[in-house]
Amino acid sequence: MNMTSPILQSYVLGGWYTSSTGLTVIPSALDGADVARISSAGIDFAAAAAYARQTGGPALRALTFHERAKILRGLADAIVARKEELYALSAHTGATRTDSWIDIEGGAATLFTYASKGRRELPNDRVLVDGGVEALSKRGSFVGQHLYTSLQGVAVHINAFNFPAWGMLEKLGPTLLAGVPAVVKPATASAYVTEHCVRIMIESGLLPEGALQLIAGSTGNLLDHLSGQDVVSFTGSAATAQKLQNHPVMARESVRFVAERDSLNATVLGPDATPETAEFDLFVKEIVREMTVKAGQKCTATRRAFVPVAKMDAVEAALRARLEKVVVGNPAQEGVTMGALISASQLRDVRETISKLAQDATIVFGDPNTPPSGTDPNGAFITPVLLRCDTPWAAPNVHEMEAFGPVSTLMPYTDLVDAIALCNRGAGSLVMSLFTYDPEVAVAVVEGAASFHGRVLISDRDCARESTGHGSPLPALVHGGPGRAGGGEEMGGIRGVKHYMQRTALQGSPRMLSAVTRRWIAGAPEVENEIHPFRQSFNELRQGKTFTSPLRVITLDDIEHFAHFTGDTFYAHMDEEAAAANPFFPGRVAHGYLILSFAAGLFVDPAPGPVLANYGLENLRFLKPVSPGDAIKVRLTAKAKNQRNAEYGEVTWDALVSNQDGDTVASYELLTMNAL
C-alpha cells in the first residue's frame, strides 16, 4: 500500500470525515499505481440517516419545486466551472476524453434538464396534484383528488463504477427536486471522481444542510436503520441487487427499492437493410461505438446483435473492418480511441466471461488474453472482442452472461418473429435498438418486444444525424428495464421525481380539498364582488375569485359573418338540411371557435392592467351545440396560481360557458400571465 496516496473523505453529519483504519487501495486503470485509499470505518450510520431525516429533509421540504430547481441549476453550473478537475481524475478510470465528457458534462446536463423541467413542469409549490378531481357523490359535496407529497425519509444511492459522476447526478437530480435528502455510496473503483464531484457541490454553498451526504467506502449497517419512508436506488450486479432486496429491514419496512442491474441489451438489423442502405452502415457503426465507448463498460452497451441469416458474413466483415481501426491505449496518448477497463479485477472478470461465451460462439475479432500493443502491462487494457454464434437457440451462455467490457456477439435470425423471440430471450433489458427503414418492421418489433425492454431505439437515415444512439440514457426518458434489468425506473422526466414522493388519495369536501391542493375545485366557495378579477394583481388574486358575465344572444347573422370572415364554411354552420341530417346537431349551429371568441368578449376587461397576456387554453370540450337564437354566458373562476419569476405569475382560470337554460356549452382552462 502506498501510504502517500490520499485518503478519500466521507461527507457526513455536515462535515468531512477521514477514516484511518480498514483502508483499501484504489489502483489506476492505466498502470496499476495507487490513486487513493478508501474506508468508511468509524462512521455512525444511524446518525447519518437520522441527520438526513431530521435536518436535510425538513430543509428541502420547506422549499418549493422551483427553489429546488434553482439549486440544481447552480450545482450544474458549479460542476461545469470545475470540470477540468474531474477530467484529470477521470483519466485514472481508463476513460478517454469522450468517455469522461459523457460522465461529467453529461451528468451536469442531467441536472440542468431537471432544473428546467422543475421550473417548467412543476408548480412553484411543495405539493403536486395528480390527475383530475374524482366525483364521489351525486350532489358534488364529496370529492376525491390524488396528491403527491415528499417522502419524509432518506434516499440511499448505491452507484456503479462506470459513471462516477453521471451515475450519481442522474439519481440526485430527481431526488433533490422531490425534496428528499440523499446519502450517496459510490463504487470503490472510481470513488475518487465521485468524492471530488461531491466536494464541488458542497463548496458551492447551495445545498441545505443535510441534503447530501457521501459515504466513501462500505455502507456498514446503514440499511439496518431504514424505514418505509426511505428509498434505496441501486445500480450494479444482479447478485448485489438480490442481496439488498433480501435484507430483512428492506422487506420488513417495505423500503422502496429501485434497481438497475445486469442487462443483455440487443440490437437488430431489419430484414430490409442491405449493405447498400444507410441503416446497414448505421447498425455497424453503432455496434462498434457501443463496444468501445467506456471500453464497453456501460449498462446500456450492446451485448447481442441479431441480423438476417443471409447477411451474417457481410455484417461480420463490416464490423471487423471498423474494429481494426480502434486504437487501444492510454487516453493521454494521441490517437487512442479506447481506454482501459476500470481495474485488473474487472479485466479478469471480462476474460473469464468471454471464455464461457466462447463455449457457445467463436471469437472472430480480438484476443482477450493478450494485452494490446503498446499498453502498460500493469494496466487493465483489452482489445475489443467480437464473437459469432450461428446457432443462437442452442447457446444459453450468450443470453445469460454479460461480459462487462468491449464485447459483443453476432447472431443470425430466420425471420422477424425469430428476431423478436431472440431479443426477448435476454429476459429483460434496459434498451434494445432496431435499424430499419420499414415502418411495418418497426410496428412488429415494438409490439412483440417492447414489454421486455425499458427503451427501444428505432434508428434510420432520417434521425441518424441527431440521434443520441443506443447507449445513451436521457433525462427526459425512462432509464430502467424489466426482468433481468432489475424492474426499476430512473429519470423519465418528472416520473423520476415521483419515485421519491408518496401519492395519496384525498377525500373530502370541495372546500377542504381546494385548501389542501391550492387549486379551486368546482363546488368550493366562489368569491364574487364588483372588482373584476382581471383588475387584481397576481398577489391580490385568490383562488375562487369568480366573474359571471351577462347573457349574449348568438344570431344567424353572427354565424354567417363568422363563417365568411374566417373561411370556415363547414356545412354544420351553413347548410340547414345537411346539418339537421347530422345526429349531433339540431340544425345549423354556431362554430365552436365563435363560442370561444364571444366568451372571451364576455369576460375580458379591456383596460391595461395586471393581466399581461392570454397565452393558451387547455382541456377544451364542446359539450352542447348552440343554435341561432340561443344565448351564452361565461363563469370565470381563478383556479390555480403559479409564480414564475419575480415579475409575473401564471394563473389558471376555470371557464364554463352555459346557455340560457343553464346547460354547459363548453368548458376549458384559460391560462394568463399576471403581474405580481
Side-chain angles (χ1 to χ4, degrees), residues 13 44-54 153-154 183 213 222 225-226:
L13 304 176
D44 186 337
F45 294 102
Y51 181 70
R53 294 191 194 99
Q54 297 168 12
V154 58
V183 174
Q213 297 181 85
L222 177 61
H225 306 289
L226 299 184

Side-chain angles (χ1 to χ4, degrees), residues 6 18 72 119 204 239 303 305 329 340 399 421 463 478 555 600 659 663:
T18 305
L72 294 183
R119 289 297 300 269
S204 74
R303 305 301 178 194
H399 304 293
C463 69
V478 165
T555 67
N659 64 15
D663 298 329

Side-chain angles (χ1 to χ4, degrees), residues 326-362:
V326 175
V327 179
V328 181
N330 188 324
Q333 297 174 348
E334 186 175 352
V336 168
T337 57
M338 190 181 96
L341 299 179
I342 187 68
S343 64
S345 63
Q346 182 66 18
L347 177 59
R348 288 193 296 273
D349 288 345
V350 170
R351 284 172 171 168
E352 289 174 5
T353 306
I354 291 173
S355 68
K356 294 174 182 177
L357 294 175
Q359 296 173 11
D360 293 339
T362 301

Side-chain angles (χ1 to χ4, degrees), residues 626-650:
V626 173
S627 301
D630 284 347
I632 63 169
K633 65 178 180 179
V634 185
R635 190 202 69 197
L636 191 70
T637 304
K639 183 174 184 177
K641 296 166 54 178
N642 186 19
Q643 185 172 339
R644 286 298 182 185
N645 57 35
E647 298 179 354
Y648 62 85
E650 171 189 291

Side-chain angles (χ1 to χ4, degrees), residues 508-552:
S509 68
R511 183 175 74 92
M512 282 297 183
L513 267 57
S514 289
V516 172
T517 63
R518 272 86 86 178
R519 293 175 66 87
W520 179 84
I521 294 172
E526 301 173 28
V527 180
E528 287 200 68
N529 53 40
E530 294 180 357
I531 302 174
H532 193 288
F534 281 18
R535 306 312 308 163
Q536 294 185 306
S537 69
F538 181 87
N539 291 327
E540 293 170 336
L541 189 65
R542 294 290 177 265
Q543 282 95 331
K545 174 66 176 177
T546 299
F547 169 80
T548 302
S549 78
L551 285 165
R552 172 170 178 168

Side-chain angles (χ1 to χ4, degrees), residues 329-412:
N330 188 324
Q333 297 174 348
E334 186 175 352
V336 168
T337 57
M338 190 181 96
L341 299 179
I342 187 68
S343 64
S345 63
Q346 182 66 18
L347 177 59
R348 288 193 296 273
D349 288 345
V350 170
R351 284 172 171 168
E352 289 174 5
T353 306
I354 291 173
S355 68
K356 294 174 182 177
L357 294 175
Q359 296 173 11
D360 293 339
T362 301
I363 296 175
V364 294
F365 184 89
D367 181 354
N369 298 311
T370 301
S373 176
T375 58
D376 192 308
N378 295 314
F381 296 97
I382 187 174
T383 63
V385 175
L386 177 67
L387 298 100
R388 173 170 173 161
C389 173
D390 289 294
T391 55
W393 286 109
N397 287 341
V398 297
H399 304 293
E400 297 174 5
M401 296 182 178
E402 180 184 22
F404 202 67
V407 183
S408 190
T409 303
L410 181 65
M411 291 174 277

Side-chain angles (χ1 to χ4, degrees), residues 23 53 92 96 123 250 271 362 402 470 483 490 516 540 556 562:
L23 295 168
R53 294 191 194 99
H92 288 293
T96 65
M250 296 282 290
T362 301
E402 180 184 22
H470 169 104
E490 296 175 335
V516 172
E540 293 170 336
L556 186 60
F562 190 86

